[in-house]
Amino acid sequence: MKTPNLQKFFKLLIVCMITVSARAQQKIISGKVTDNKGQPLGGATILEKRTHKGTATKEDGSFTIHISDSNSRLVISYVGYKATEVAVNNQTFITVTLLPSTSNLDDIVVIGYGTARKKDLTGAIASVQEKDFNKGNFISPDLLIQGKVAGLQIISNTGQPGDATTIKIRGNSALTGTGQPLFVIDGVPLDGRSLAAGNNPLNFLNPVDVASIDILKDASATAIYGSRAAYGVIIINTKKGQVGPVKLDVTGSVGVSSILKKIQILNASQYRDAIKYYGVGSFYDKGADVDAFDELVQNAFQQNYSITGSGGNENGKHSFSVGYLDQDGILINSNFKRYNADVSTNFRLLSSKKLGLDLYLNASQYIQDGTLLGSGADFIIQGALQWNPTQRLNNDDGSFNLNLREGGGYNPLALLEYLRDNLKISTILGSISPYYKFTSWLEYKLLFSINYSTSIGRHSEDQRLQSYDFNSAGKAAINNNELTTQQITHTLSLNREIFHGMHLDAVAGFEYMKFTNKGFTLSGDGVPGVGYGNYGLDYTNYVQYSDAGRRSISSFVDPLSELQSFFGRTIFNYKDVYLLTTTIRADGSTKFGTNNKYGYFPSFAAAWNIHKEKFFKVEFINALKIRGGWGKTGNQEFPSGSAQALYAFEDNGNIRQTNTPNPDLKWQSDRQYDIGIDFSIFNERISGTVDYFNKATTNLLFPSPPIQPAPQSSTIRWINLDGKILNKGLETTINASIVKQEKFGLDLSVNTTFLKNNLSGLIVPVHTGFAGGPVEIIENGLPMQAFYTRKFLGLDKTTGFSVYEGGDNSFYHVGDPNPKTLLGISTTIRYKKCSLIANINGAFGQDIFFVPLMNLINASEINGGRNIALSVYEDPVKEKFANPVTPSSRFIFKGNYLKMGNLTLSYSPGDVAKNFKSAAIYVTARNLFVVTNYPGFDPEVNTNAGVNGVPSFGIDYQHYPTSRSIIFGINFSL
Amino acid sequence: MTARKLILIILLSITFIYGCTKLNETVGGNLTSVQVAENPNTAELLRGVYASLENTFTGYTEILPLSEFTTDEAIAPTRGGDWDDNGTWRAFHQHKWDANNVHIHDCFNSLGGIIFAATDMLQYKPTTQEQAEARFLRAWAMYWLLDFFNQVPYRDPGENLIQPARIISGMDALDTIINEVNAVGPYLPNDPPSVANKYAAKVLLMKCYLNKAVYINRANPNFDASDMNKVISLADEIINSYKFSFSRIYFDNFAPDNGSIGLENIFTQISHIGGNYQVNSRWASILHYTQGGWNGFATLSDFYNKFEPTDRRREAAYDYLNSPPNPGHRVNVGFLLNQQYDLENDTPLADNIGPVIFTPEVHNVEPGPNLEMPGIRPIKYAPTYSRFPYFDAATNEFVYFRFPDVLLMKAEAIMRGGTPTSAGPYGNNALAIVNFIRTEPSRSATRLTSIDFDILLDERGRELWWEGWRRQDMIRFGKFLKPFEEKDYTSDPKYLLFPIPSEQIAVNPILAQNPGY
């Protein structure tokens, strides 16, 4: 153990917690909690204000509580309702009516190893409750909050069902790795890796099971997660059992998707004109009139059902859910299916109810089918974009026109049929958490969790594919990966008044995590001239039929990665007016070099509830809080085994060292401060938050080039680079209940984010973003991944060649892929039992490199009998085919957009019959329209074009197109 | 209270079971250096060194563009949307490359990787022969770094790779290479050509001495007679071993079974299935799409015209192991020109635009309208068609050193002031040696009546085309910077050296950028 001092400190802390004890005289009172319509509220929290002892209401809204003083005050709270404070004044029965809350300051927010009321927060934490989630059929729960939170940018990378999202909290500071935040599900941090490249690691979790999502943005909130928190933390809380008889919630929806936007290429008649215009010979006019895209895309059907059950009493609360989702992709043959089930129970044991036990088990499997993995979908889109629109896709006998060189490119329909992938990922996430209340204010909790997922991928290439990208004997490949995370966490929490008016909420803990990743791949190409035969069978079912000399097998296991941590947090609350939070975490990791095994991550934050001051007498201001915080977090997103020399077993019995180890390797460090104001005014009709943040990232983890001589297969050497990435920004969120009447309501929520991003202190610029060559640079004084390529001045009218500023070999900073402003607008219009919800999101100020225009539909393609972009044909200058297809600013476009993310019209008749309650039917349009000048499928795009582990941003390679969906759904309870 | 105690005991025991770890990283699918040292498997490590050479030399992206596309015998034309690759190919023939060029970068790193692998294995107690082979292969990689960059980075076995490597340059580097080769030569085996052997060591020493004057002054080399005498005596040692003779057919030396019929080969690289860019790229990067290739590189007509039509090194309708039937006896190796044919059934090849007719005129950037056909296509290695469509499973051994080069170097050394000697049947003067090669039945070129440096350089081109020596030869003969086809200007002398990749300059403060870059 290298941290004796820290251990001593925690031991001392724990002893202090235990020795402080108090006993007081007790009184019993009872009561009932209802909402403003007189409906009882089960599960509401009753707290004695002075002692913070509490209880919860039963299903009928009734409660009984022991209080220390007959003049105590009680605080009654319930999620979604305004907390109310009542004086006991010697009453023995108290009736409380809670009013729905528009501001969510009373919401309970999960803050990492504990919870807090939103109004007690000192850090920048946003919380989105189920009622505010985006509506529609989402595969992964991250999309529930797209556009909902200031400072949070969520981009669906492509339109493929189940594809990953790019999530950036407070700007772009990832010089390597994904830059994705840490996801924590019910206290279990996820590995963050996905078993299949490009797949969303959250696909296993059914969004229906999510109760709320909390976004920890500033370092004072995230520092408790230490070396993994630099890109923020997103805490997903699943639904838990509620006190009451068993209740079943049923949801069902069906929908249809179609392509949102197409890329403008020539139609058949334009193509015929273009052949003459460019003088390429009439043999390219094949006589037909084909829109390859129309043949490729379909109106895709989707359905999604789930049943959630919940019930319980004081001794135990239970819930379960089962779900089924079946979503066709808009490219024919592609499909995503998911089966999932979860069970959650909370037991209260012993006669004293001091022992509790929480159990959670989530099992899910999803299957992606079609042409999905790797570059398959790219080939199809390439084929469709380049297809000669005068050429038929099918021959007279119905077979595919496979003369692919004739007329160029690939037959996209044939690729859809002949390139097949099937990926099956099964995940189990289980946790068991016993806890014991020593006293009303001291609790010990143990959390043991295991998260296991395994994937089986099958890929086949039909031997009828004749292009040089495919061998004409067929190919089959099977791979399996396993990813396991085990965790054990001990926490001891203290929650009590330590002297009059001063309340302490403290937690200390130890955590151990273990990550393993292993897998294998095998593949075989068909025997020349024989292939896999035309038996109509899936090649992956009989790989042994392949050519013995053309088989490939490999297996791997990553070095074991372990993380061992000590952490603590104290929150001092003086009369709810002054709040002070401090946290510390010490993280030790096997991945760090021997010289840097432990990292320390402290934070401090304070808040002042001005409206609670006696002197504060402004009537229309209901709440006003000023917050400020500072903290350090880290990022350790580099592969295990980077700090010591590793020798690999290679083909044919070779052994070679394959990496360039760095024994000094350590975490990347982030320092962030945040100043914020929370307010609510006009009877809480308007509430909001404004935050300024300043985040400096140093010790940049960077995949640096190895210093030669170095192992040949080692393209990178992980180092902590000098240099600083600065992200500054302003976030505002305003929620307003503009009209709030019995029959009619109008709510509006707007969040905006202004971002600035800058780099300094780098010794050498870093090139990334591969589009023909690297077109992005990470360099001092420029924003992250600034576009850096030739400056296109236009086409020379006489030669038809591109003209560049300074010639062919001069490079300039010609764009910025980072948005300067993010915007999210949500509005709800309610009339009687109908409501209309619109969620709009947008990003402004960013540029996108549109790669297909450069390398797929450029002028020279028509010379090869392929299609070209309409914009190229309509250019007043006739471009020469021989004009080299060279990266330049010609292919960089403004990416500004405003998207109608979803628009939902719902009708909620409520309790229709005795056994048919809370009924609602709705229709939702997802991605109804997008306002943009960007020529690609969707300006919300980020395809991976990183170079040597340095990520790219804002590069749009041909990809699975985005869809627009219309969904009809029904929800009811039994 | 018993319940509380019981629970405490359970929880505390769990804590201890999962208690503090020392955070030592354990591996499962790899070996750590401690594990390698515990189970010394130097034969496996040596195979790793040989594998390090493979992509570097046999591929088409590293040694090939630097050593050939910069010269009068090779060009990588940009064909509209094809082979643009950010201008990195065309920069070579135009002499306009810079320190960010990806091929220069890859070549420097790969040669560094060979040096690393060969050095690293020395710490694991190899046998004397294994050590000799590893050190020879390291010297071979160092030689190319010296030739291309004039600076050679090196490390000691087991060194911390975070520290900057040390550099030897110029004559220090050449002395180190010569000393290393001399030190290990006696411990190398006599054969086969596909492993580092005694005769390979002698040829490398010949290259060192022949070019020594160049490494002293690349712009104005001043050749020393004593160096030339060393070249001659090394050549005579090789000749007098009588291990090497002329193959029946010139192209046998590059055929899919050249390991057995390539009698001229002194040092070769075995391709093995599973690598990325084996010898297959030597034809795949050149042949037209209809021939199963990627329609890339070409030779220039001025160079092609240096051959007599009868010279059997120029082209052949070559019947080789598992070759296609070729009923029309069409040219299938050497320089492909004019109409191309399907070698299975002799139908003329055509694509959607028209017939596949390779034309001699070629440009750095093809102006069109016909982008795909320009350029004479050099096919030195007969494609391994036995496993069509699997081009990448080539069985051809890649040739590093060939016997005729030894003879030509001897002839040159005599012309540069060395003392003529007589060894074998090849004659005792430059003209006789050159004429022996030219009139060998496998060549069948006419006898020369006189010889000068220009003629000798041309002869080296005809004999050794696309074998990786042209840049070195043109520099030694003072022709590299001069105008040639598709480079109608004299280049800046800085192009006699390649720049150190900017990335390496950034990470290793000891490296200095070469002058002018």
Side-chain angles (χ1 to χ4, degrees):
Chain A
M1 271 309 312
K2 278 200 159 181
T3 55
N5 293 336
L6 203 69
Q7 259 195 336
K8 263 188 203 159
F9 167 72
F10 282 116
K11 274 183 189 155
L12 204 67
L13 189 70
I14 292 163
V15 171
C16 290
M17 287 174 170
I18 295 169
T19 46
V20 181
S21 98
R23 292 256 175 229
Q25 235 188 328
Q26 296 207 327
K27 277 192 135 191
I28 301 174
I29 58 165
S30 54
K32 187 173 181 180
V33 180
T34 62
D35 69 9
N36 54 336
K37 291 170 192 158
Q39 294 285 333
L41 292 174
T45 306
I46 319 292
L47 272 184
E48 185 183 3
K49 198 179 174 190
R50 197 175 72 80
T51 61
H52 280 258
K53 283 187 204 167
T55 186
T57 58
K58 294 179 182 168
E59 184 221 347
D60 61 0
S62 67
F63 67 90
T64 308
I65 186 169
H66 299 261
I67 57 169
S68 57
D69 185 339
S70 53
N71 286 318
S72 273
R73 294 178 74 83
L74 297 180
V75 179
I76 297 95
S77 58
Y78 189 74
V79 172
Y81 290 82
K82 231 169 112 173
T84 305
E85 207 174 294
V86 292
V88 175
N89 288 339
N90 290 319
Q91 300 172 85
T92 52
F93 191 88
I94 295 172
T95 308
V96 185
T97 303
L98 294 184
L99 299 172
S101 168
T102 38
S103 85
N104 41 23
L105 289 175
D106 292 304
D107 288 350
I108 299 296
V109 177
V110 178
I111 54 173
Y113 308 100
T115 58
R117 287 178 302 173
K118 187 158 171 53
K119 68 177 169 195
D120 294 342
L121 295 176
T122 53
I125 299 178
S127 182
V128 185
Q129 305 296 316
E130 187 183 10
K131 66 180 164 61
D132 297 319
F133 284 163
N134 288 321
K135 305 288 184 281
N137 277 350
F138 298 105
I139 288 175
S140 60
D142 45 355
L143 294 169
L144 294 170
I145 54 170
Q146 186 178 33
K148 290 287 183 183
V149 177
L152 174 67
Q153 187 188 18
I154 300 183
I155 296 170
S156 292
N157 288 353
T158 78
Q160 180 167 307
D163 202 22
T165 50
T166 299
I167 303 178
K168 291 187 192 294
I169 294 179
R170 297 192 156 178
N172 185 356
S173 58
L175 200 55
T176 181
T178 60
Q180 303 282 82
L182 175 70
F183 283 96
V184 179
I185 299 179
D186 293 334
V188 179
L190 298 186
D191 179 289
R193 286 178 288 188
S194 175
L195 281 169
N199 271 29
N200 193 315
L202 296 176
N203 279 347
F204 75 94
L205 191 64
N206 187 345
V208 172
D209 296 336
V210 176
S212 65
I213 299 178
D214 300 324
I215 299 92
L216 278 47
K217 296 191 282 193
D218 74 335
S220 75
T222 57
I224 193 82
Y225 285 105
S227 66
R228 288 170 298 159
Y231 302 132
V233 179
I234 294 186
I235 298 181
I236 297 177
N237 308 297
T238 64
K239 287 176 186 164
K240 297 298 173 202
Q242 300 291 336
V243 171
V246 175
K247 188 177 118 186
L248 279 184
D249 293 323
V250 180
T251 69
S253 62
V254 295
V256 66
S257 315
S258 55
I259 189 165
L260 174 66
K261 189 168 169 286
K262 292 205 281 188
I263 294 172
Q264 295 292 308
I265 46 179
L266 303 185
N267 63 29
S269 77
Q270 289 164 333
Y271 192 80
R272 286 188 185 95
D273 294 343
I275 289 171
K276 293 186 197 108
Y277 175 71
Y278 288 107
V280 288
S282 57
F283 47 83
Y284 281 144
D285 183 357
K286 308 287 184 186
D289 184 350
V290 172
D291 184 329
F293 249 106
D294 286 349
E295 302 289 324
L296 207 61
V297 296
Q298 61 180 350
N299 286 327
F301 179 71
Q302 55 174 288
Q303 50 185 330
N304 190 1
Y305 310 101
S306 70
I307 299 172
T308 310
S310 160
N313 53 37
E314 292 163 332
N315 296 324
K317 294 181 285 185
H318 318 283
S319 77
F320 75 91
S321 95
V322 291
Y324 170 66
L325 177 141
D326 178 359
Q327 185 171 332
D328 284 338
I330 54 170
L331 292 184
I332 56 179
N333 286 342
S334 64
N335 176 272
F336 183 99
K337 268 191 194 65
R338 177 174 59 208
Y339 311 89
N340 74 286
D342 77 357
V343 184
S344 154
T345 70
N346 314 89
F347 292 109
R348 304 288 292 276
L349 303 168
L350 308 184
S351 55
S352 62
K353 307 285 181 241
K354 283 181 168 177
L355 180 64
L357 182 65
D358 292 349
L359 289 167
Y360 177 67
L361 183 67
N362 182 323
S364 84
Q365 180 176 71
Y366 71 85
I367 301 160
Q368 279 182 297
D369 213 352
T371 312
L372 294 166
L373 300 179
S375 52
D378 301 354
F379 276 129
I380 292 165
I381 300 303
Q382 175 177 350
L385 288 174
Q386 295 187 328
W387 190 257
N388 176 343
T390 65
Q391 176 146 301
R392 294 167 61 185
L393 287 154
N394 293 94
N395 299 321
D396 284 337
D397 61 2
S399 63
F400 295 116
N401 181 355
L402 277 175
N403 201 352
L404 296 183
R405 275 287 142 204
E406 176 87 17
Y410 311 99
N411 183 327
L413 275 188
L415 288 174
L416 272 177
E417 195 59 40
Y418 290 160
L419 280 182
R420 297 309 287 263
D421 288 292
N422 181 286
L423 173 70
K424 188 186 288 182
I425 295 191
S426 312
T427 305
I428 291 176
L429 173 64
S431 68
I432 177 165
S433 176
Y435 54 95
Y436 187 79
K437 268 185 180 311
F438 294 99
T439 69
S440 62
W441 48 267
L442 185 66
E443 182 182 294
Y444 167 81
K445 189 171 185 172
L446 170 75
L447 174 71
F448 180 78
S449 79
I450 185 157
N451 183 2
Y452 172 80
S453 53
T454 180
S455 72
I456 295 180
R458 286 165 176 264
H459 170 82
S460 61
E461 294 170 13
D462 196 286
Q463 64 200 49
R464 284 167 285 190
L465 287 172
Q466 298 281 347
S467 162
Y468 70 85
D469 282 307
F470 308 99
N471 72 63
S472 54
K475 184 186 188 69
I478 303 174
N479 68 68
N480 169 257
N481 277 4
E482 289 175 279
L483 202 57
T484 312
T485 308
Q486 285 164 278
Q487 174 197 14
I488 183 157
T489 308
H490 304 272
T491 48
L492 190 63
S493 331
L494 177 149
N495 191 334
R496 66 165 294 147
E497 188 172 29
I498 47 175
F499 57 85
H500 187 66
M502 176 62 87
H503 189 84
L504 171 66
D505 185 346
V507 61
F510 168 77
E511 187 169 82
Y512 169 80
M513 298 191 79
K514 189 162 93 171
F515 308 89
T516 57
N517 181 27
K518 55 186 170 184
F520 66 83
T521 303
L522 55 94
S523 71
D525 294 348
V527 178
V530 178
Y532 279 88
N534 291 312
Y535 303 107
L537 302 174
D538 185 336
Y539 294 174
T540 61
N541 296 347
Y542 55 109
V543 193
Q544 68 277 12
Y545 198 59
S546 57
D547 186 315
R550 289 287 303 177
R551 291 175 188 159
S552 160
I553 54 172
S554 67
S555 62
F556 73 94
V557 52
D558 284 353
L560 180 69
S561 169
E562 293 173 300
L563 187 68
Q564 171 170 282
S565 318
F566 305 89
F567 55 86
R569 175 177 54 220
T570 58
I571 302 174
F572 291 95
N573 178 339
Y574 184 69
K575 292 187 169 174
D576 285 350
V577 181
Y578 307 104
L579 298 151
L580 178 70
T581 307
T582 59
T583 69
I584 172 97
R585 184 178 180 114
D587 266 343
S589 169
T590 51
K591 295 204 301 186
F592 299 156
T594 44
N595 307 334
N596 287 308
K597 276 294 178 203
Y598 279 88
Y600 302 94
F601 305 95
S603 82
F604 307 94
W608 180 25
N609 276 314
I610 302 175
H611 65 282
K612 297 228 168 166
E613 292 282 5
K614 292 209 173 67
F615 64 77
F616 190 84
K617 295 270 189 282
V618 186
E619 272 295 299
F620 71 93
I621 298 180
N622 309 99
L624 181 62
K625 177 159 82 173
I626 297 180
R627 293 178 278 107
W630 174 94
K632 278 175 95 166
T633 53
N635 164 37
Q636 52 150 312
E637 214 184 338
F638 55 86
S640 58
S642 301
Q644 65 168 331
L646 295 180
Y647 287 74
F649 299 100
E650 300 183 321
D651 278 2
N652 300 311
N654 300 339
I655 292 177
R656 257 196 292 183
Q657 184 175 334
T658 49
N659 69 336
T660 308
N662 180 357
D664 301 327
L665 193 61
K666 61 178 186 178
W667 54 96
Q668 172 171 309
S669 174
D670 270 61
R671 183 278 298 145
Q672 186 179 177
Y673 61 81
D674 182 286
I675 298 163
I677 298 171
D678 299 328
F679 64 91
S680 94
I681 51 176
F682 303 128
N683 274 329
E684 301 192 344
R685 289 281 281 272
I686 297 174
S687 64
T689 297
V690 179
D691 271 283
Y692 167 81
F693 67 87
N694 180 306
K695 181 175 162 187
T697 308
T698 53
N699 278 332
L700 305 172
L701 260 186
F702 177 66
S704 169
I707 305 169
Q708 294 299 336
Q712 217 171 44
S713 53
S714 158
T715 50
I716 53 177
R717 165 181 63 119
W718 289 97
I719 58 165
N720 295 99
L721 196 65
D722 290 335
K724 185 160 109 174
I725 303 170
L726 194 62
N727 277 286
K728 292 187 286 192
L730 189 71
E731 302 166 353
T732 65
T733 306
I734 306 284
N735 303 307
S737 289
I738 296 168
V739 183
K740 198 172 166 185
Q741 293 171 0
E742 181 80 4
K743 286 182 177 171
F744 182 65
L746 173 58
D747 295 337
L748 179 68
S749 171
V750 178
N751 70 73
T752 51
T753 311
F754 304 95
L755 291 166
K756 222 175 185 174
N757 176 288
N758 200 306
L759 246 101
S760 58
L762 276 186
I763 298 170
V764 274
V766 178
H767 298 267
T768 186
F770 191 87
V775 296
E776 292 182 336
I777 195 166
I778 297 174
E779 190 177 19
N780 294 335
L782 294 179
M784 286 285 283
Q785 284 120 345
F787 286 113
Y788 183 76
T789 181
R790 295 167 187 84
K791 194 183 272 180
F792 178 69
L793 299 178
L795 291 170
D796 187 305
K797 286 191 180 68
T798 47
T799 63
F801 272 52
S802 296
V803 181
Y804 305 108
E805 177 107 31
D808 192 22
N809 286 310
S810 299
F811 300 89
Y812 300 89
H813 169 219
V814 287
D816 179 1
N818 300 290
K820 288 172 186 62
T821 308
L822 304 174
L823 177 67
I825 303 171
S826 301
T827 173
T828 305
I829 303 166
R830 173 178 52 80
Y831 178 71
K832 289 186 178 172
K833 289 174 174 175
C834 294
S835 65
L836 181 70
I837 302 168
N839 291 313
I840 297 165
N841 64 79
F844 307 91
Q846 73 279 28
D847 297 306
I848 304 174
F849 198 109
F850 183 42
V851 183
L853 182 63
M854 174 178 79
N855 62 9
L856 296 184
I857 45 177
N858 58 64
S860 78
E861 298 299 329
I862 198 164
N863 189 40
R866 296 174 287 274
N867 207 344
I868 60 170
L870 184 61
S871 61
V872 171
Y873 177 50
E874 287 179 340
D875 195 303
V877 182
K878 187 178 186 176
E879 186 174 351
K880 262 280 180 58
F881 304 138
N883 185 16
V885 178
T886 300
S888 73
S889 62
R890 182 183 185 184
F891 311 107
I892 296 174
F893 293 87
K894 291 261 171 269
N896 298 337
Y897 71 91
L898 199 62
K899 202 181 227 181
M900 179 60 89
N902 68 72
L903 184 67
T904 302
L905 180 63
S906 69
Y907 173 66
S908 313
D911 299 349
V912 183
K914 194 172 171 234
N915 290 320
F916 196 78
K917 296 175 190 163
S918 315
I921 54 171
Y922 62 87
V923 53
T924 284
R926 189 178 167 208
N927 292 340
L928 190 60
F929 59 82
V930 55
V931 182
T932 185
N933 284 326
Y934 181 68
F937 287 129
D938 189 350
E940 183 193 328
V941 63
N942 184 27
T943 50
N944 177 19
V947 175
N948 283 342
V950 180
S952 64
F953 191 46
I955 292 190
D956 180 7
Y957 267 87
Q958 64 275 21
H959 63 266
Y960 201 106
T962 308
S963 61
R964 169 196 296 129
S965 314
I966 308 287
I967 296 150
F968 300 88
I970 180 164
N971 302 335
F972 59 89
S973 302
L974 294 174
Chain B
M1 293 307 268
T2 40
R4 189 188 288 190
K5 272 184 187 158
L6 187 70
I7 292 157
L8 263 177
I9 289 163
I10 294 170
L11 297 180
L12 285 173
S13 54
I14 293 171
T15 313
F16 285 114
I17 292 167
Y18 290 92
C20 297
T21 154
K22 284 185 178 160
L23 299 172
N24 289 333
E25 190 176 62
T26 54
V27 296
N30 301 87
L31 296 174
T32 63
S33 48
V34 175
Q35 287 168 311
V36 173
E38 280 167 0
N39 311 285
N41 259 327
T42 44
E44 282 87 337
L45 291 166
L46 182 60
R47 277 204 288 275
V49 183
Y50 279 102
S52 303
L53 270 75
E54 195 161 350
N55 290 351
T56 316
F57 288 92
T58 57
Y60 67 104
T61 58
E62 297 180 4
I63 297 282
L64 179 72
L66 274 67
S67 65
E68 291 287 353
F69 299 170
T70 52
T71 73
D72 64 349
E73 69 176 20
I75 188 167
T78 303
R79 303 176 188 273
D82 231 2
W83 294 99
D84 175 75
D85 296 304
N86 212 13
T88 52
W89 295 111
R90 58 180 173 267
F92 285 110
H93 195 80
Q94 296 172 312
H95 289 194
K96 284 185 176 170
W97 57 79
D98 63 24
N100 288 320
N101 188 290
V102 64
H103 305 292
I104 296 173
H105 163 276
D106 290 355
C107 188
F108 187 91
N109 286 1
S110 289
L111 291 168
I114 298 166
I115 292 176
F116 174 82
T119 305
D120 186 60
M121 75 162 287
L122 299 178
Q123 67 179 312
Y124 298 110
K125 301 190 184 73
T127 66
T128 312
Q129 184 181 323
E130 283 167 350
Q131 179 185 221
E133 287 182 46
R135 285 170 66 184
F136 173 78
L137 296 175
R138 178 172 65 176
W140 175 228
M142 291 171 93
Y143 177 75
W144 282 94
L145 282 166
L146 166 67
D147 194 60
F148 283 162
F149 301 98
N150 197 44
Q151 299 187 59
V152 182
Y154 72 99
R155 292 181 185 280
D156 292 333
E159 199 173 297
N160 182 349
L161 300 184
I162 296 303
Q163 302 304 323
R166 281 141 293 156
I167 308 296
I168 36 173
S169 55
M171 290 315 294
D172 289 344
L174 186 71
D175 288 345
T176 305
I177 293 163
I178 291 170
N179 291 340
E180 277 287 290
V181 175
N182 279 327
V184 302
Y187 306 105
L188 291 171
N190 284 319
D191 44 33
S194 58
V195 302
N197 60 70
K198 282 194 172 69
Y199 301 97
K202 292 183 199 300
V203 184
L204 180 53
L205 287 173
M206 288 176 71
K207 294 275 180 198
C208 287
Y209 290 118
L210 185 63
N211 289 287
K212 186 173 167 184
V214 175
Y215 302 140
I216 294 169
N217 185 342
R218 282 178 161 82
N220 286 302
N222 189 5
F223 296 90
D224 187 279
S226 70
D227 292 333
M228 297 303 113
N229 285 336
K230 285 181 187 134
V231 172
I232 292 164
S233 72
L234 285 159
D236 288 351
E237 287 172 32
I238 297 166
I239 293 165
N240 290 330
S241 75
Y242 289 96
K243 285 185 71 73
F244 309 100
S245 55
F246 282 78
S247 295
R248 192 175 59 87
I249 298 169
Y250 176 75
F251 292 99
D252 282 353
N253 298 303
F254 312 96
D257 54 346
N258 62 343
S260 54
I261 62 171
L263 307 180
E264 299 166 15
N265 295 339
I266 298 173
F267 184 33
T268 64
Q269 173 76 40
I270 288 187
S271 294
H272 69 269
I273 294 166
N276 291 327
Y277 299 114
Q278 279 93 31
V279 180
N280 79 297
S281 70
R282 294 299 174 124
W283 56 81
S285 61
I286 287 166
L287 291 172
H288 187 255
Y289 297 111
T290 53
Q291 298 169 305
W294 316 327
N295 200 41
F297 313 136
T299 201
L300 296 118
S301 55
D302 284 356
F303 182 77
Y304 176 83
N305 292 332
K306 291 182 194 294
F307 288 86
E308 298 164 359
T310 57
D311 194 330
R312 295 177 68 190
R313 295 172 296 191
R314 194 178 77 170
E315 75 244 338
Y318 183 43
D319 186 14
Y320 58 98
L321 179 73
N322 296 319
S323 62
N326 195 4
H329 299 287
R330 306 294 176 181
V331 168
N332 58 350
V333 289
F335 296 104
L336 307 188
L337 187 56
N338 302 325
Q339 175 70 53
Q340 299 300 300
Y341 296 86
D342 185 325
L343 299 176
E344 296 288 332
N345 51 31
D346 209 39
T347 51
L349 291 175
D351 69 359
N352 48 352
I353 298 172
V356 177
I357 297 174
F358 296 142
T359 54
E361 192 184 329
V362 69
H363 304 277
N364 286 305
V365 176
E366 284 305 332
N370 196 348
L371 301 168
E372 293 196 356
M373 298 311 161
I376 303 164
R377 309 305 166 94
I379 301 295
K380 192 125 199 186
Y381 290 84
T384 306
Y385 273 115
S386 64
R387 301 177 54 78
F388 190 84
Y390 303 129
F391 265 168
D392 56 344
T395 57
N396 317 51
E397 288 179 18
F398 181 80
V399 179
Y400 293 133
F401 292 144
R402 214 151 49 77
F403 185 53
D405 190 12
V406 171
L407 297 178
L408 287 170
M409 285 195 281
K410 180 181 175 183
E412 184 179 336
I414 293 170
M415 287 171 68
R416 293 194 190 279
T419 312
T421 61
S422 182
Y426 308 109
N428 65 353
N429 62 75
L431 184 62
I433 293 171
V434 169
N435 274 331
F436 187 96
I437 297 168
R438 286 179 57 83
T439 55
E440 224 285 332
S442 59
R443 273 74 176 165
S444 299
T446 56
R447 184 176 295 275
L448 298 175
T449 52
S450 66
I451 193 157
D452 60 20
F453 284 114
D454 286 353
I455 293 172
L456 184 65
L457 178 63
D458 284 352
E459 192 58 35
R460 285 189 64 82
R462 286 185 287 263
E463 179 61 37
L464 300 167
W465 58 269
W466 283 65
E467 288 182 52
W469 300 114
R470 192 63 179 169
R471 171 184 163 278
Q472 190 185 83
D473 290 348
M474 289 184 77
I475 291 174
R476 194 171 65 252
F477 284 82
K479 301 283 189 192
F480 186 70
L481 300 174
K482 300 252 167 73
F484 46 74
E485 189 177 352
E486 279 301 291
K487 182 182 85 83
D488 56 2
Y489 41 83
T490 300
S491 330
D492 187 303
K494 74 175 183 178
Y495 292 107
L496 289 169
L497 282 178
F498 290 104
I500 307 291
S502 49
E503 202 179 84
Q504 286 297 314
I505 294 285
V507 295
N508 188 346
I510 302 172
L511 271 170
Q513 187 52 280
N514 283 327
Y517 290 104

